[in-house]
Amino acid sequence: MSAEKLDKSKTLFLRKKHVGPSCKIFFSQDPIKIVKAKGQYMYDENGQRYLDCINNVAHVGHCHPDVVQAGAEQMGTLNTNARFLHDNLVLYAQRLQATLPPALSVCYFVNSGSEANDLALRLARNFTGHDDIITLENAYHGHVSSLIDISPYKHHQLPDAELRPSAPSPDVYRGRYRADHPDPAAAYADDVRELIDRAHEKGRKIAAFIAESLQSCGGQVVPPAGYFQQVAAHVRRAGGVVIADEVQVGFGRVGSHFWAFQLQGADFVPDIVTMGKPIGNGHPMSCVVTTAEVAQAFASSGMEYFNTFGGNPVSCAIGLAVLDVIGKEDLQGNAVRVGQHLSDLLEALKRKHPLIGDVRGRGLFIGVELVKDRLTLTPATAEAQEVIYKLKEEKILLSADGPHRNVLKFKPPMCFTPEDAELVAAKLDPVLTGTGPAPFTARRSECRERSQQEDGEHLRRTCSATFTLTFLPVIWDKPVCRVFAPEAERRASAASRRDRRSSSSQRSQTHPEGDKLRDHTCLRLTSDRLALLASSRLIAASDFYVTAREF
């Protein structure tokens, strides 16, 4: 008998009544009721089709017939626990290990990414005899207690939370060491070494360093090349092991490699790898793979490890089918081709829309960071939410994440096509055109002092003419605005030529900003300099706008 069919309002009512309120739903202001899916598309109760750019769980496509058939046939034959001998378990372990470096040869099958990471911590602590775990800022590794403690991402919403020390996210766009740093990989790795040193000073020892090979919830962060090798050297020197969390990014999603940790190079091999989500294409399944040495130490602890459903015949049949489809349909190659095409389209939008600060990622794992200003990198959090809701109206499903919730996350099913990428870009373009901070206009008669204290920093500005203001972060005692003046640049350049013909340099001598303005369309000014520049009539106030702290 099929389940009772409910109208959307009844479904929503029952969810609110019977499901925990902390269990959030996509598009909570206007949730979608999804009733079926196929490939990269999802359908609501009215038959409306949505392009799914969110779902890295349905890795080879929603309801792939080969995967469905494999699970149904095995379920109709046998499903039992792994204490019975069965071919599916060993054949799947053999196939999975063949995708990994030879040293990673022993599998433990479990049912979710959280289970996998929890078991990885047990393996690490048992093998090293140490207790401390180093994680990254903005990391998320699962919902069980052992993992919430090392998932700073989950604590951002708790203003008084006491977090364990974590290493800076190796983000070369927004982080401590950026793309212009001479060696960001070494600098970020040194931060991990400093955490190790501080732990040792307190008499504590490091069991493991755990990180997603590419941070997902942390904002689609791609670590600089060589980062993990140097971190591994520091951690292993301290007697710890390295855990690569591939729950979000494994199984060919990055395109060029089957596992995202392999992006760092063949000379980096983790001691433990965890996987989940795409492994079963939506079927609850996950795995921990480690070295023979770590596995033997776990076995020698005297405690048997058993998991009722981990590695059952149905799960392994589904896992085998997923690997078959990845190979048969060249989905890893598709991630390279379509991922590059999508990245190119997004880069083109970046050149057109100042709201896009960065486009980054690998394969079909791409992040688009929205900022209010490309110099200050003020997160465009509200704008990101506006974008995903407007795209939903265009029948495209996308999410925003990162510590500031301002990174658009593209991680669609791997059957995503070039036409899908083009549709997304075509829909995103007008959405970005209509999205952005509303300008504030201050006229001479209305100008007055404004001030605000935020995070111990003060802003005080004065106005002396007509400006269009888009407020962005500044620090008191530093320049409080940036002037964008393309038209004023043209006028100032023409004035400069006239000045040279008349051998007059008085204006430039009086107003040094004038020389800068002739060479640049953007400069930084203090409020008094801005007033002087405007009142001097060097440029017309209507020709430019300034940016300052949001208030």
Side-chain angles (χ1 to χ4, degrees):
M1 180 184 294
S2 62
E4 180 186 0
K5 304 299 182 183
L6 306 173
D7 63 43
K8 180 178 174 179
S9 61
K10 181 68 171 179
T11 303
L12 188 58
F13 169 77
L14 291 175
R15 180 181 174 108
K16 290 179 178 178
K17 181 178 180 180
H18 297 298
V19 178
S22 57
C23 299
K24 302 302 181 183
I25 190 171
F26 281 133
F27 309 107
S28 57
Q29 296 177 23
D30 182 25
I32 306 171
K33 183 175 180 178
I34 296 297
V35 298
K36 71 174 183 178
K38 186 75 171 178
Q40 64 273 44
Y41 302 106
M42 304 180 83
Y43 299 82
D44 68 13
E45 76 278 17
N46 300 314
Q48 179 62 61
R49 190 180 79 171
Y50 293 83
L51 178 61
D52 182 6
C53 300
I54 293 175
N55 224 311
N56 61 335
V57 177
H59 190 64
V60 301
H62 291 280
C63 304
H64 194 288
D66 292 5
V67 178
V68 172
Q69 181 180 357
E73 288 182 356
Q74 184 57 55
M75 191 176 292
T77 304
L78 171 71
N79 199 23
T80 186
N81 66 59
R83 280 180 164 163
F84 292 99
L85 198 61
H86 195 276
D87 289 348
N88 285 7
L89 176 63
V90 295
L91 290 174
Y92 185 63
Q94 184 181 46
R95 286 277 302 277
L96 194 61
Q97 195 282 321
T99 68
L100 291 156
L104 295 165
S105 60
V106 182
C107 300
Y108 295 88
F109 291 102
V110 286
N111 307 286
S112 71
S114 291
E115 269 195 80
N117 282 331
D118 180 71
L119 177 57
L121 298 189
R122 285 183 61 189
L123 292 170
R125 285 170 169 147
N126 179 81
F127 180 70
T128 63
H130 303 165
D131 187 62
D132 280 17
I133 306 295
I134 296 177
T135 189
L136 295 177
E137 290 175 352
N138 312 319
Y140 175 68
H141 294 291
H143 61 79
V144 300
S145 296
S146 65
L147 302 173
I148 288 293
D149 287 346
I150 61 166
S151 294
Y153 171 85
K154 281 293 186 181
H155 296 265
H156 289 309
Q157 55 193 303
L158 305 175
D160 299 322
E162 293 185 6
L163 298 180
R164 293 187 178 188
S166 54
S169 172
D171 181 352
V172 296
Y173 176 69
R174 175 179 294 281
R176 180 181 299 178
Y177 315 110
R178 300 183 179 178
D180 59 353
H181 190 280
D183 192 351
Y188 279 118
D190 283 344
D191 286 332
V192 175
R193 177 182 52 77
E194 289 174 9
L195 279 179
I196 294 171
D197 292 342
R198 289 201 293 271
H200 288 174
E201 289 170 2
K202 297 177 182 178
R204 304 189 64 83
K205 295 183 178 181
I206 304 301
F209 169 85
I210 183 171
E212 291 180 283
S213 302
L214 302 176
Q215 272 195 300
S216 180
C217 292
Q220 312 291 92
V221 174
V222 180
Y227 171 70
F228 280 115
Q229 288 92 328
Q230 295 179 68
V231 167
H234 296 319
V235 171
R236 288 166 178 159
R237 196 175 299 119
V241 297
V242 176
I243 303 169
D245 181 343
E246 293 271 340
V247 169
Q248 296 256 20
V249 294
F251 291 88
R253 176 160 293 278
V254 299
S256 58
H257 299 80
F258 202 80
W259 304 104
F261 73 79
Q262 294 170 325
L263 291 168
Q264 291 279 309
D267 57 336
F268 171 63
V269 178
D271 302 288
I272 303 171
V273 175
T274 61
M275 50 195 75
K277 292 188 188 301
I279 190 173
N281 208 54
H283 180 81
M285 181 182 184
S286 61
C287 186
V288 181
V289 185
T290 189
T291 64
E293 293 79 8
V294 171
Q296 186 56 50
F298 194 49
S300 301
S301 67
M303 182 182 293
E304 177 190 7
Y305 179 77
F306 170 68
N307 190 300
T308 301
F309 297 108
N312 68 75
V314 171
S315 294
C316 290
I318 288 172
L320 284 164
V322 169
L323 292 179
D324 288 342
V325 172
I326 292 172
K328 181 174 69 173
E329 299 184 5
D330 188 26
L331 294 183
Q332 189 175 339
N334 190 64
V336 173
R337 295 184 295 273
V338 179
Q340 186 60 59
H341 186 46
L342 178 58
S343 292
D344 291 344
L345 293 168
L346 294 170
E347 286 285 358
L349 290 179
K350 176 185 173 184
R351 291 190 290 271
K352 181 177 180 181
H353 298 285
L355 190 62
I356 297 180
D358 192 33
V359 176
R360 56 181 177 261
R362 296 290 187 275
L364 283 172
F365 183 82
I366 300 170
V368 176
E369 182 152 0
L370 304 187
V371 295
K372 295 181 179 180
D373 180 84
R374 289 181 178 176
L375 293 182
T376 61
L377 306 188
T378 307
T381 301
E383 291 81 356
Q385 298 306 308
E386 184 179 353
V387 166
I388 63 174
Y389 269 89
K390 285 183 176 178
L391 285 176
K392 171 178 163 283
E393 295 173 3
E394 298 293 335
K395 314 307 181 219
I396 293 173
L397 303 181
L398 193 65
S399 63
D401 217 330
H404 305 288
R405 299 293 196 275
N406 68 317
V407 180
L408 306 180
K409 296 176 64 173
F410 291 87
K411 46 189 182 64
M414 295 274 281
C415 52
F416 211 67
T417 68
E419 293 75 21
D420 295 327
E422 290 158 9
L423 175 63
V424 169
K427 296 294 186 181
L428 185 56
D429 185 13
V431 167
L432 291 171
T433 300
T435 302
F440 172 86
T441 301
R443 296 188 178 277
R444 182 190 299 263
S445 60
E446 301 167 349
C447 289
R448 61 187 180 277
E449 293 183 355
R450 291 184 172 211
S451 65
Q452 172 178 320
Q453 182 172 356
E454 178 177 322
D455 298 330
E457 297 173 356
H458 293 75
L459 167 71
R460 178 184 178 91
R461 15 177 353 272
T462 58
C463 302
S464 61
T466 302
F467 311 120
T468 302
L469 307 177
T470 302
F471 297 112
L472 295 166
V474 295
I475 303 174
W476 176 247
D477 87 355
K478 296 290 177 61
V480 300
C481 69
R482 297 187 305 103
V483 177
F484 293 79
E487 175 61 20
E489 178 190 28
R490 185 187 65 78
R491 293 187 183 186
S493 297
S496 176
R497 289 193 295 271
R498 289 194 301 271
D499 287 347
R500 284 196 297 270
R501 284 196 299 268
S502 62
S503 301
S504 171
S505 60
Q506 180 178 358
R507 178 172 293 173
S508 293
Q509 292 170 352
T510 306
H511 306 297
E513 286 83 9
D515 290 326
K516 298 178 186 177
L517 188 60
R518 295 184 185 98
D519 297 327
H520 304 284
T521 59
C522 170
L523 62 150
R524 297 180 66 85
L525 300 170
T526 58
S527 56
D528 59 336
R529 278 305 214 180
L530 173 64
L532 180 64
L533 183 62
S535 63
S536 72
R537 303 189 184 218
L538 177 64
I539 59 175
S542 59
D543 289 339
F544 63 90
Y545 65 93
V546 294
T547 61
R549 180 182 290 279
E550 193 170 7
F551 53 80

